[in-house]
Amino acid sequence: MAIKRVIDSITPAIRRFNERERGLARWSIACEDDVRDLVYVMLRATISDVRTEEPVPSRTGTHKFADLVSELAGVFVEIKWIAKRRQWRNILRQINDDIQSYFKHPSCDILIFLVVDAVKDIPDPAQFERSVSGKQTLDGKNIEIMAFVREP
């Protein structure tokens, strides 16, 4: 899957942009929006319909926006950035809320969460990934949820 290859390449890509050769402008990857743009560029080479900021229904009637969406692939990508200590539990709550909203979009078959842990806050990244990832049936709809924790 192209998306898995992109996610596995995130950490080296961020490090490369942050440590460019002398004389070249740095592209600082310092927040969620920077990661979204980087992942968009990386995915666009193989997924022609990927786009940013797709509105999805929410439980409260207001709109949420998925970071990246491909209707052809049935994939939604949500990016989370952990910038300070003791934030990871809040991110986990956000992910649970996002799952309850995003599955309602008719094109969402696979929901991917990319958590960039800039401060190494998550005590056990593998356990975090396992606790979120898996197949779920929500209101009769089957959806695959994948979580990946990466460091910049």
Side-chain angles (χ1 to χ4, degrees), residues 19-113:
E19 298 170 6
R20 294 191 67 201
E21 295 176 30
R22 185 179 307 151
L24 297 176
R26 288 182 59 224
W27 180 18
S28 180
I29 308 293
C31 68
E32 184 177 308
D33 291 338
D34 294 336
V35 175
R36 182 199 59 223
D37 293 345
L38 177 60
V39 173
Y40 171 84
V41 169
M42 294 170 77
L43 283 176
R44 185 73 176 152
T46 57
I47 302 175
S48 63
D49 76 325
V50 70
R51 61 186 180 279
T52 62
E53 300 296 319
E54 175 75 11
V56 293
S58 78
R59 293 183 299 168
T60 61
T62 60
H63 281 294
K64 297 181 92 169
F65 293 88
D67 288 315
L68 299 166
V69 173
S70 167
E71 289 190 27
L72 291 174
V75 173
F76 280 49
V77 178
E78 184 63 20
I79 298 164
K80 306 291 185 185
W81 180 274
I82 298 178
K84 56 186 174 185
R85 296 272 181 211
R86 293 179 293 284
Q87 189 180 13
W88 73 269
R89 285 189 178 98
N90 186 42
I91 295 295
L92 190 57
R93 279 190 290 277
Q94 289 176 23
I95 288 171
N96 288 323
D97 287 346
D98 290 345
I99 291 169
Q100 297 305 311
S101 296
Y102 292 8
F103 87 92
K104 294 177 184 176
H105 193 287
S107 297
C108 184
D109 298 320
I110 301 169
L111 180 54
I112 297 173
F113 293 96

